[in-house]
Amino acid sequence: MIERVTYLHPEFFWLFGLFPLLVVWYIWKYHKQQASLQMSSLSGFPKVGSFRAKLKPILFVLRLLALAAMIVALARPRTVDITQRNKTTLGIDMVLAIDVSGSMLAKDLKPNRLEALKKVASEFVYNRMSDRIGLVVYAAEAYTKTPVTSDKAIVLEAIKNTKYDNVIQDGTGIGMGLATAINRLKDSEAKSKVVILMTDGVNNAGFIEPETAADIAKEYGIKVYTIGIGTNGLAESPYAYGANGELLFRKMPVEIDEKLMRSIAKKTDGQYFRATSNQSLKSIYDDIDLLEKTEIDEQKFFHYNEKYRPWLWLALAFLAFEMLLKISVFRGFIH
């Protein structure tokens, strides 16, 4: 893995702009240092070239390399390790209240209303990593399937195992479902308390009126988002069991008490949504996700690993090598 190197003082790299001037200066000085003797003819002298003289510019190259290494060191190269810590400053406690009456098996959403809802609700829970969430299921009666918890694995497993069965009497007790959800939140110390109430029918069971439950929610400062699930018109819905024990389906009118659902939401400062397809149901949960944001106090810790020391050692190595050549190979030369 390649580490990304940053520089604390990159402005020192402008010093590299002086290098062309140094080269011009060296060439000019080099020619000034060459002694000359005028003679009428060199025919009597053999041509002898000095190999050491030709190598002398290497001293200047070594000095430039040392200077370049020092410039890089002055720019302070370093790598950084970032440790991030998140602290929730505004917690949200939520309860999902899911209708599990027989009508939730209607096939206007695919494969049916309940399974479509479970899929979207699971995605919603998975993405709310900083909140505590509970699950209430209801038909004619209601019960808590999962108390409010920060353990998302438990909530996701509870949603997965939610199904229509004979554990509770069939029917639609909206007031019962809402009241049970409120009971899970009323003692919460969270700064924000939310119920997401989902149904596909009309309140026709239970001994608690939905409006009464809404008044209680308002008293405890609990916001209720209501979702009506089902297409407009007719939907293929279960109406009886066949001789083989399997459910029989036929086209039946979709009945949702939208007036009641809007009233509950308005009274508690929530919102009402209508899901007529799988996509619209997902969009509703996306909207709620945006409306109920958890504030996060993010802290980042930076650990810097300084990388300038190797460049200083390299600069010293170039200077030492230049000095060694001066007192050995180029001893006696004019510098």
Side-chain angles (χ1 to χ4, degrees):
M1 181 179 178
I2 300 176
E3 291 183 304
R4 184 173 178 269
V5 178
T6 59
Y7 297 89
L8 181 61
H9 302 298
E11 60 273 11
F12 279 105
F13 286 124
W14 287 104
L15 293 175
F16 282 111
L18 298 175
F19 276 42
L21 297 176
L22 292 175
V23 172
V24 172
W25 173 80
Y26 175 79
I27 294 172
W28 176 80
K29 182 182 176 184
Y30 180 80
H31 287 300
K32 291 281 289 182
Q33 288 179 344
Q34 303 303 309
S36 61
L37 176 65
Q38 293 183 354
M39 301 184 68
S40 58
S41 175
L42 296 175
S43 59
F45 295 91
K47 293 184 179 180
V48 179
S50 173
F51 182 71
R52 289 192 304 165
K54 293 179 179 178
L55 287 180
K56 188 185 176 187
I58 196 174
L59 298 176
F60 177 69
V61 173
L62 288 171
R63 189 166 297 180
L64 280 183
L65 291 174
L67 182 59
M70 283 189 279
I71 290 173
V72 175
L74 287 170
R76 289 284 294 276
R78 57 187 184 172
T79 58
V80 58
D81 295 324
I82 302 176
T83 302
Q84 181 173 305
R85 295 180 184 175
N86 292 336
K87 180 183 178 183
T88 303
T89 57
L90 179 59
I92 297 178
D93 279 0
M94 292 186 179
V95 172
L96 309 182
I98 299 178
D99 185 346
V100 292
S101 59
S103 58
M104 285 292 288
L105 300 179
K107 298 180 180 180
D108 47 353
L109 275 68
K110 303 301 178 184
N112 59 50
R113 295 172 181 173
L114 183 58
E115 291 302 318
L117 174 58
K118 286 165 57 176
K119 179 181 178 182
V120 175
S122 294
E123 292 175 359
F124 177 80
V125 170
Y126 182 81
N127 292 324
R128 305 290 300 195
M129 298 308 295
S130 300
D131 302 321
R132 300 199 312 158
I133 298 177
L135 179 63
V136 165
V137 295
Y138 70 95
E141 304 167 300
Y143 70 92
T144 301
K145 197 169 182 69
T146 304
V148 176
T149 177
S150 58
D151 191 335
K152 300 302 182 292
I154 293 176
V155 181
L156 290 171
E157 187 65 22
I159 293 173
K160 179 181 177 181
N161 294 330
T162 298
K163 59 185 179 180
Y164 169 73
D165 52 32
N166 294 320
V167 174
I168 52 179
Q169 184 180 349
D170 200 6
T172 304
I174 296 173
M176 297 295 291
L178 180 55
T180 304
I182 292 168
N183 193 48
R184 298 282 69 174
L185 290 173
K186 64 182 180 66
D187 296 324
S188 168
E189 295 182 358
K191 293 185 178 180
S192 183
K193 294 174 280 190
V194 174
V195 172
I196 302 177
L197 177 69
M198 296 150 278
T199 187
D200 67 341
V202 176
N203 186 68
N204 57 20
F207 56 85
I208 299 178
E209 291 298 321
E211 291 286 4
T212 302
D215 290 333
I216 298 172
K218 182 179 180 180
E219 183 179 342
Y220 283 107
I222 298 171
K223 187 185 299 183
V224 183
Y225 290 99
T226 55
I227 302 175
I229 303 174
T231 57
N232 296 309
L234 301 176
E236 193 175 350
S237 306
Y239 69 95
Y241 283 99
N244 58 359
E246 294 184 357
L247 285 168
L248 300 177
F249 290 81
R250 69 182 179 191
K251 291 289 186 179
M252 298 177 65
V254 176
E255 294 183 81
I256 300 175
D257 193 342
E258 292 193 278
K259 182 179 179 181
L260 171 64
M261 302 298 276
R262 285 194 178 93
S263 175
I264 293 172
K266 183 178 180 181
K267 184 175 292 186
T268 60
D269 296 324
Q271 290 187 33
Y272 169 67
F273 302 90
R274 177 71 181 270
T276 57
S277 66
N278 293 59
Q279 184 56 45
S280 63
L281 180 61
K282 184 180 186 308
S283 297
I284 289 167
Y285 270 90
D286 290 342
D287 289 342
I288 296 174
D289 189 42
L290 291 173
L291 289 167
E292 293 296 331
K293 280 296 184 186
T294 300
E295 293 182 10
I296 301 295
D297 178 19
E298 183 179 87
Q299 293 179 318
K300 288 185 178 180
F301 299 88
F302 296 85
H303 175 68
Y304 293 100
N305 299 308
E306 298 288 350
K307 300 294 183 182
Y308 68 88
R309 292 180 183 85
W311 291 98
L312 285 178
W313 284 111
L314 187 61
L316 289 173
F318 284 134
L319 291 174
F321 189 41
E322 180 196 5
M323 186 63 64
L324 180 63
L325 290 178
K326 279 184 177 180
I327 64 176
S328 58
V329 177
F330 300 106
R331 186 178 181 181
F333 278 71
I334 298 174
H335 302 294

